[in-house]
Structures are given as C-alpha cells and as structure tokens.
Amino acid sequence: MTQPLLIILVICAVGLIIYLIYYFSNKQVILRTLSKIPLKPISSLKTNALSKVVGKALHVEEPLKAPYSGRHCVFYQIIIEQKVKSGKSSHWKKIVSEEKFQDFFIDTNGDFVIIKPQHHPRNYICYLVKDKETSSGTFNDPTPKFAALLRRYNIEPENFFGFNRTLRYKEGIIAVGERITVAGIAKWKSLNEPLPEYPYSKIATLESDGKQKLIITDLPEALKSKNLRKR
C-alpha cells in the first residue's frame, strides 16, 4: 500500500468517526426522531397516539430557580468541569452534573397539556441549549457569583498551592414562558383535584410508554420542522 493511499484511508476513517459521533449525538437523535412525529393541536390529541406539541412552558407550582443565573424555570441542567492534565495532554473532567425539573404545562394557543418527567424510572430523553456559561483559570479569577456557586457544590476554586483551578460551568433551562417541543404518547386524564390555574376536569398529557420515552427540548431547530411550518 502506497503512502498517499494510506494517508487518504486514515483521513477517510477519521472523517467517518467524526460523522458517526455527530450523527448519533443526543442532539441529532432527538431532532431526527421529532421530525418523524406528527405535530398536533392539543385539542386533536388521540389517546395512545405518538404525538408532538409545541408551545410555551408554564409552571404548575412555584417554579425552580437556575443555580447560576437565577432564572425562573421548570427544568434545568448544569455541568461543572475541571481541566485535568495527563502528561502533555489535557481533558475536561465532569465533576458536577445536575438535572432538576418539575411537572409543567405546555400552552398552545390557550390549550394545555401537562408533562410529568421523572427520574426513577427515567421516562424521558432531553436536550437543553446551554445558554449560560462562565469559567475561571490561572489568570482568570472566578466571579463572586461563580465562587458562591462553587462553594454550594463544595468545590474549591483554588488548588493546594493557591492557584486557580481551571473550571467551567454550563447551564441550560426551560424558562417559564419559553417555547419548547415535547413528544410522547397522548393520554386524557380526569383530575381528582383541580390544578392551579387550570379550571377543567380533564387534561391531556404526554407520557412514556414501553420503549417510547418522552422527548423534551428547547432546540430552535425542533421548532422549524416541516409539519410546524404548514400550520
């Protein structure tokens, strides 16, 4: 095998690996799956049908507060990572990964559907855009707000020698009033007790069912699906 051919094969192999990582990433899997699910007005949801809705996220109870930005939300994901050296190379090591949510409504033109994600068993897959970031490093002291957050998670911003650790923080949320996309198995439920700000005796829900999990995202690309533009 000639050297030029070997170089071409290596480049092709690397390119294929990069493409497969991209293609099977959580973000792309969610976008491809959502593109195949019909978009339905909430009033037209049929029991046990896999359906997708788009609308504003609204809180059922007192909303959560995102740890760093303090924004009111119904769902947040945060990641804190530390840059770790290994020989001549370095990589980011995840030291905190936290996800918190509550039941929430989706409001589509005055119609409501309720979403109930749960951890155990995990009944959803989710991708949230990480739109708040901050960091610290050798010549970059953490801001007072970031330092307070690190203390909250028992993370020392400095190492044994008193130098700043190289840390970074990413935060994604579903804000109250944010336009999002959710898909799942449609059900209609009778309410034994009234929900705050919801005067009706029945409400639509989107749920997981067997292998089909809830899909939750605030990706702008999910709002641009073909069946959404036809509405």
Side-chain angles (χ1 to χ4, degrees):
M1 184 179 294
T2 63
Q3 187 173 6
L5 180 58
L6 181 61
I7 292 173
I8 291 172
L9 289 175
V10 170
I11 292 173
C12 289
V14 172
L16 178 61
I17 291 170
I18 292 172
Y19 173 76
L20 290 174
I21 291 172
Y22 167 81
Y23 186 82
F24 289 107
S25 67
N26 189 39
K27 175 181 176 179
Q28 294 304 317
V29 168
I30 283 176
L31 287 174
R32 284 198 306 276
T33 304
L34 287 174
S35 70
K36 300 173 185 176
I37 301 174
L39 181 72
K40 296 286 187 179
I42 291 173
S43 58
S44 300
L45 293 177
K46 294 182 179 179
T47 299
N48 296 326
L50 177 60
S51 306
K52 174 175 67 181
V53 299
V54 171
K56 294 187 297 183
L58 299 177
H59 54 99
V60 175
E61 53 191 73
E62 183 70 22
L64 305 170
K65 286 185 70 174
Y68 179 74
S69 65
R71 294 173 292 175
H72 288 110
C73 58
V74 296
F75 201 130
Y76 70 72
Q77 294 174 334
I78 69 163
I79 298 171
I80 303 175
E81 296 172 304
Q82 179 178 346
K83 199 168 191 179
V84 177
K85 290 186 177 180
S86 178
K88 294 182 179 180
S89 63
S90 62
H91 66 278
W92 288 100
K93 178 183 178 182
K94 191 180 295 183
I95 53 178
V96 172
S97 179
E98 182 175 274
E99 188 173 75
K100 194 170 182 179
F101 49 75
Q102 58 182 211
D103 297 349
F104 60 92
F105 290 124
I106 296 179
D107 175 6
T108 302
N109 301 321
D111 289 327
F112 292 82
V113 61
I114 193 166
I115 311 298
K116 295 186 174 186
Q118 62 184 39
H119 279 302
H120 305 294
R122 187 181 176 98
N123 69 342
Y124 67 92
I125 58 174
C126 179
Y127 186 94
L128 300 186
V129 176
K130 305 303 183 292
D131 58 350
K132 291 293 181 184
E133 299 183 6
T134 189
S135 62
S136 63
T138 304
F139 304 106
N140 176 27
D141 291 338
T143 64
K145 185 193 282 191
F146 189 29
L149 180 80
L150 293 173
R151 288 194 297 271
R152 172 176 170 179
Y153 290 95
N154 297 314
I155 299 170
E156 288 292 336
E158 299 177 348
N159 61 24
F160 179 79
F161 301 101
F163 296 108
N164 290 336
R165 299 180 190 274
T166 302
L167 301 165
R168 67 182 182 185
Y169 171 90
K170 297 180 181 180
E171 176 184 286
I173 72 167
I174 295 177
V176 174
E178 182 179 0
R179 193 168 165 82
I180 66 169
T181 306
V182 179
I185 304 299
K187 304 281 187 180
W188 285 91
K189 297 292 182 70
S190 297
L191 296 175
N192 296 325
E193 298 181 5
L195 292 170
E197 302 181 23
Y198 187 81
Y200 306 106
S201 60
K202 285 192 174 184
I203 191 168
T205 70
L206 291 179
E207 303 180 357
S208 64
D209 184 16
K211 294 182 179 180
Q212 179 59 54
K213 293 183 180 293
L214 279 170
I215 303 172
I216 303 169
T217 186
D218 63 350
L219 279 164
E221 300 95 314
L223 303 174
K224 299 175 183 177
S225 61
K226 292 179 182 178
N227 52 3
L228 179 58
R229 289 199 297 269
K230 289 178 181 178
R231 291 191 67 194

